[in-house]
Structure formats: C-alpha cells, structure tokens
C-alpha cells in the first residue's frame, strides 16, 4: 500500500480525524466538466452520479455496442475520482447477452483495469493524460483492493473490519457523513 494512502487512512479511521474525510467529500472536482467534454467524442453516453457528500466522483461511460450475429456486446467503463486525495481508478467492462439455450445467467460479463477495445484504449489514454496533468495518480484494481493493516470498528455491526482502499477512500463505508 502506498505510504500516503496508509497515512491518510490511519488519520481518518484510527486517529478519528474525520474532518479530513468530510472536507474532501464537500469539495467539488473543478475540472470534471472539462474532462468529460474531452472524452465525449469517443463514447456513446456519459452518466455522472450524484456525489454530494461522497468521497469520490463516479462516472459511468458507455463506450459502444457491437452486434456480431446473435451476439450483442456492450463495452463500458467506470471512472472513480477520489475527492479526499489525488487518486483515481478506471475500470473497463464488457457484457454479452448469453445466447446459450441452457444458460442460467442471461448475461456474461467481466471487468479489469485494461481496455478491451481500441476505443476504450484511446479513451483510457486520454483520461490518464488528463488526470496526470491535474496531479492525480492512477490506482490499479489490486491497489484498490488492498486492505489497511489495522481493523476499523464498525459501530453499526458491533465488530472490527479491515477496510480496503476502495472502501476507505472511495466510499463512505463506515457512515462518517451520516453522523
């Protein structure tokens, strides 16, 4: 785990400096509209989620759809930008309508932090360049899923739990803003 992330999680959840979390949640990301405009021509649709009092901006990006015979494929990406520290995570996804007559699940899908198509790849490069100029560092899937070394007490469940970077910095997992 990156030392800056470790220190930030420790400050917020162990030292109970929750104002670091709430202050970050309350500030908007000023360049977001410009970033969205810069990738708009590469994608079919962009949906920005409501992020007031949330620790991250979440943007759903529908890249494109493709039909090959009876197969219908959708390519999407999800951009998560942390408002507490200068980190972001970009996840690429695909889903295919399952054509199997004996299917159990109607959709086959998957995700990773690498693009599946050239269009996703070009958009990924644009986002990476833009975020880099804004001073943000990209986290990988494995970095997002790293667990903090100390457990955090979860008052709603009456037990301690080890938080991942994703839960600690990109979600209000413990309900800090509910107080």
């Amino acid at each position: 785990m990156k030392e800056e992330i470790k220190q930030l999680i420790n400050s917020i959840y162990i030292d109970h400096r929750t104002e670091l979390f709430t202050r970050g949640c309350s500030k908007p990301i000023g360049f977001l509209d410009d970033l969205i405009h810069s990738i708009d021509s590469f994608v079919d649709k962009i949906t920005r989620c409501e992020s007031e009092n949330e620790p991250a901006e979440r943007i759903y990006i529908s890249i494109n759809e493709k039909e090959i015979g009876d197969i219908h494929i959708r390519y999407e990406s999800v951009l998560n930008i942390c408002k507490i520290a200068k980190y972001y995570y970009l996840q690429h996804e695909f889903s295919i309508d399952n054509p199997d007559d004996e299917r159990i699940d109607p959709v086959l899908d998957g995700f990773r932090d690498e693009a599946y198509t050239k269009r996703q790849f070009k958009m990924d490069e644009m986002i990476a360049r833009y975020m880099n100029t804004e001073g943000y560092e990209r986290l990988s899937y494995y970095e997002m899923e790293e667990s903090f070394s100390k457990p955090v007490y979860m008052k709603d469940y009456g037990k301690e739990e080890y938080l991942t970077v994703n839960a600690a910095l990109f979600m209000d997992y413990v309900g800090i803003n509910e107080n």
Side-chain angles (χ1 to χ4, degrees), residues 124-143:
D124 184 299
E125 283 186 321
M126 289 180 74
I127 290 173
R129 272 194 307 272
Y130 193 99
M131 296 302 288
N132 189 43
T133 63
E134 293 295 332
Y136 280 73
E137 187 175 340
R138 185 176 188 162
L139 297 176
S140 70
Y141 172 77
Y142 298 105
E143 289 171 311

Side-chain angles (χ1 to χ4, degrees), residues 2 26 31 42 68 74 81 95-96 99 114 136 150 173-174:
K2 295 179 185 299
S26 67
F31 62 82
F42 283 90
I68 304 168
R74 287 168 296 285
I81 305 172
S95 60
I96 301 171
E114 296 174 18
Y136 280 73
K150 298 174 186 172
Y173 193 77
V174 300

Side-chain angles (χ1 to χ4, degrees), residues 24-36:
C25 290
S26 67
K27 69 178 180 183
I29 296 175
F31 62 82
L32 202 52
D33 289 337
D34 190 42
L35 171 62
I36 289 170

